[in-house]
Amino acid sequence: MPKPASQGTPVPVTPVPVTPASATSVPATPVPAAPIDRPGYRAVFRVREFRFVFVAHLFSLLGVVVSELALTVLVYDLTRSPLLSSLTFALGFLPYLLGGTLLAGLTDRLPPRRILVVCDLVCAACVAVMVVPATPVAVLLALRCAIAVVSPVFNGTRMATLADILGEGDLFVLGRSLLRIVSQSALLTGFAVGGVLLTVVPPRGALAVTAVTFLVSALVLRLGTARRPARAAASAGSGLSGTWAVLRNRRVRALMLMFWVPPLFAVVPEALAAPYADEIGVSTAALGLLMCALPVGTIAGELFAGSFLSAATRSRIVLPLAVTGVLPYLLYAPEPGVALAVVALFLAGATGAYTLGLDAWFVVAVPEEQRGRAMTLMTAGMMTVQGIGMAGAGIAAEFVPVHTVVAGTGVVGTLCLLAAAAELKASGATEK
């Protein structure tokens, strides 16, 4: 689904045997992990069921990225309207809040494997309708919204299912991190793959390819993951009442806030990369560096934390890294050249290593019967605030220079992060 977040998605362990086509029902109790000698991603791949989830994630992510690009190009070809073309991309963010609040309860009241498969099938069906030449632009946009509505349900359910597959300890954290790294890598390669594909086939042909990727993801999840019962009774709170039930838990609420505040400010340089490149008069190649620096830093930070730091160390660095995450944006104050701006963005991305420790706190704080809903709300909120942050950056840049907007983000964002960290400590969520 659209980038996360996100969002942490990563030793020997005894995996649960799964019979692919007719897996017997297993309890939702987390898989007990063997003692961990030292952290590392390789151990996560030793869990057979995770390998299926990982492969399905690759196919699903490919479908999302390529369909976003192909649909944007298709809408522009049909309308020659830059507004409608940009709106097509923005619709990947806006409906997240709707799906995350109204449909989050389904993630705990229905079997998780069924939800994952059905969400992939819904996405495949929506893309298949987009392929039909007679489909009008209004319907194309509506279908784009439908995919975005089910995305937080899919992502939240998958995140909760990882806790069932990997347990609530270090394996879960590393598994989440691996899925996040793949999502960040898609920002670097996914659009390039889509661009190459569009040179070979027309936009509707590329959309047909993505329909297949969603179907493959559904098949892999159906055959490779165990059938687990719903976490909560069918009578559990639904809609907004269930959402408030989750948010009444101060620890969970404070943790969600710490997941939501950083991306609200982190996306500002990305949203303003093209205007900044124009402001300092650099080439499109330099613009590419500005766009890549943040995700490259994020990947580097996560890989280092997951590969070389212990769980205890990752827990200790959460607050220091989180509250300093946008401080590097202050380097934009003197309107730097590309080299210094890239350094600032890389450093800001690398602080994203705090999410591994935050994931560990979150999965422990959330009651199991609310886990799917809470994780859906968390991922929906992360996507929503990114859209808000991008829009806010664009509005601010209409009145003041771009480098001032980014540097100001470093100041305002740090103050907000300090407040969020204070609430997190007051809630007791940082205590073991």
Side-chain angles (χ1 to χ4, degrees), residues 95-289:
Y96 251 74
L97 185 60
L98 177 65
T101 53
L102 297 183
L103 302 180
L106 296 176
T107 58
D108 290 319
R109 291 186 288 117
L110 294 175
R113 185 177 69 179
R114 183 188 306 170
I115 295 173
L116 294 174
V117 172
V118 169
C119 285
D120 265 334
L121 292 178
V122 168
C123 292
C126 289
V127 175
V129 177
M130 294 177 186
V131 176
V132 178
T135 306
V137 172
V139 175
L140 291 175
L141 297 179
L143 292 170
R144 180 74 182 94
C145 284
I147 293 175
V149 166
V150 302
S151 292
V153 178
F154 180 92
N155 291 331
T157 302
R158 183 179 59 200
M159 183 177 174
T161 301
L162 279 184
D164 298 333
I165 296 172
L166 301 174
E168 298 178 358
D170 210 40
L171 284 179
F172 168 79
V173 172
L174 294 173
R176 279 275 293 150
S177 178
L178 275 172
L179 297 189
R180 255 199 319 270
I181 288 170
V182 170
S183 297
Q184 288 290 338
S185 300
L187 299 177
L188 303 176
T189 61
F191 287 116
V193 171
V196 171
L197 182 62
L198 287 172
T199 65
V200 180
V201 297
R204 293 190 192 276
L207 287 171
V209 172
T210 65
V212 174
T213 64
F214 284 124
L215 290 174
V216 171
S217 174
L219 183 64
V220 170
L221 290 170
R222 175 62 182 81
L223 298 181
T225 60
R227 184 175 66 234
R228 293 177 170 85
R231 293 181 183 82
S235 58
S238 60
L240 293 178
S241 63
T243 298
W244 291 124
V246 172
L247 295 178
R248 278 196 295 268
N249 185 323
R250 187 182 183 186
R251 286 191 176 193
V252 174
R253 189 172 64 245
L255 285 164
M256 283 192 180
L257 191 65
M258 188 53 77
F259 273 111
W260 293 342
V261 175
L264 173 65
F265 298 100
V267 298
V268 170
E270 181 182 9
L272 300 178
Y276 186 67
D278 182 63
E279 182 178 290
I280 61 176
V282 297
S283 65
T284 53
L287 172 59
L289 290 175

Side-chain angles (χ1 to χ4, degrees), residues 312-395:
T313 301
R314 293 198 297 266
S315 183
R316 286 195 295 270
I317 65 175
V318 170
L319 294 183
L321 288 185
V323 299
T324 58
V326 294
L327 272 181
Y329 292 172
L330 294 177
L331 294 176
Y332 270 75
E335 195 178 26
V338 172
L340 187 57
V342 166
V343 169
L345 294 171
F346 181 88
L347 291 175
T351 63
Y354 77 87
T355 52
L356 281 81
L358 196 61
D359 277 335
W361 293 349
F362 191 70
V363 73
V364 170
V366 177
E368 184 178 343
E369 66 274 9
Q370 295 179 331
R371 184 175 291 161
R373 183 192 296 272
M375 292 179 175
T376 299
L377 289 171
M378 185 265 282
T379 55
M382 289 178 67
M383 290 300 296
T384 301
V385 299
Q386 287 182 72
I388 294 172
M390 290 180 177
I395 294 171

Side-chain angles (χ1 to χ4, degrees), residues 392-419:
I395 294 171
E398 289 290 325
F399 302 96
V400 295
V402 172
H403 72 279
T404 304
V405 174
V406 178
T409 297
V411 176
V412 176
T414 300
L415 293 175
C416 292
L417 285 165
L418 285 169

